[in-house]
């Protein structure tokens, strides 16, 4: 699947401003209006086979994608949130989950919303169990954007269908960040 289909857009000649606006819906849930182009640029710059999974690897959001090669799942999400939209959140998947709760982001059922092609960015989680680390990824238009260990001969930043068994059967929470514009 190409970047345009993943984000529901055509790749721009230049990236737009990196920011978001927070709005509240009628139910009091917070949503962020997110710029589309910075996400496309990050996906384009990291899903290239040159970037790989590295345990506890946290790239600096100030660095362009071509200046680093390792990221774990939370490192990629912290990088993406800050670099694309200026959202400051630090730590691992548990910390990012706590941030979603504190921001009063709407929690939704993954199996219902993940397959939608509605250009809403969702942060999804697998909670830590039995000493194993948790996992965090973005889901947009039926595709994940995540950094994961070796799977089908590939590791690192990648896109997978929302209904891959490891995601679908283990997801513990899913929050709506907001629509891409």
């Amino acid at each position: 699947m190409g970047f345009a289909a993943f984000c529901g857009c055509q790749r721009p000649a230049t990236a737009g401003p990196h920011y978001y606006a927070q709005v509240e819906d009628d139910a009091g849930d917070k949503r962020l209006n997110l710029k589309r182009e910075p996400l496309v640029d990050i996906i384009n710059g990291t899903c290239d086979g040159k970037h790989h999974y590295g345990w506890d690897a946290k790239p600096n959001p100030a660095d362009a994608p071509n200046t680093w090669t390792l990221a774990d799942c939370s490192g990629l999400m912290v990088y993406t949130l800050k670099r694309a939209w200026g959202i400051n959140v630090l730590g691992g998947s548990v910390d990012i989950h706590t941030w979603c709760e504190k921001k009063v982001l709407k929690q939704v059922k993954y199996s219902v919303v993940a397959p939608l092609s509605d250009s809403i960015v969702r942060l999804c989680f697998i909670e830590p169990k039995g000493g194993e680390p948790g996992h965090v990824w973005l889901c947009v238009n039926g595709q994940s954007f995540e950094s994961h260990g070796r799977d089908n001969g590939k590791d690192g930043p990648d896109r997978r269908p929302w209904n891959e068994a490891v995601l679908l059967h283990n997801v513990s929470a899913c929050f709506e960040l907001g629509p891409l514009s």
Side-chain angles (χ1 to χ4, degrees), residues 89-110:
V89 58
L90 299 173
S93 63
V94 172
D95 302 302
I96 299 169
H97 184 277
T98 300
W99 176 85
C100 290
E101 291 179 326
K102 287 182 178 178
K103 287 291 183 185
V104 194
L105 297 178
K106 183 177 183 180
Q107 193 163 358
V108 293
K109 187 168 177 68
Y110 181 77

Side-chain angles (χ1 to χ4, degrees), residues 17 19-21 31-39 81 84-85 87 119-122 138 140 176-181:
Y19 66 91
Y20 68 94
R31 290 179 74 171
L32 309 175
N33 288 325
L34 307 167
K35 292 293 181 189
R36 183 182 313 267
E37 294 85 4
L39 178 60
L81 292 170
W85 304 303
I87 298 171
S119 294
I120 292 178
V121 178
R122 296 173 176 93
L138 290 180
V140 182
E176 288 190 350
L177 276 178
L180 292 170
S181 61

Side-chain angles (χ1 to χ4, degrees), residues 51-68:
H51 291 76
H52 299 282
Y53 181 86
W55 172 253
D56 205 29
K58 313 288 188 206
N60 184 337
D63 296 338
N66 65 350
T67 64
W68 57 269

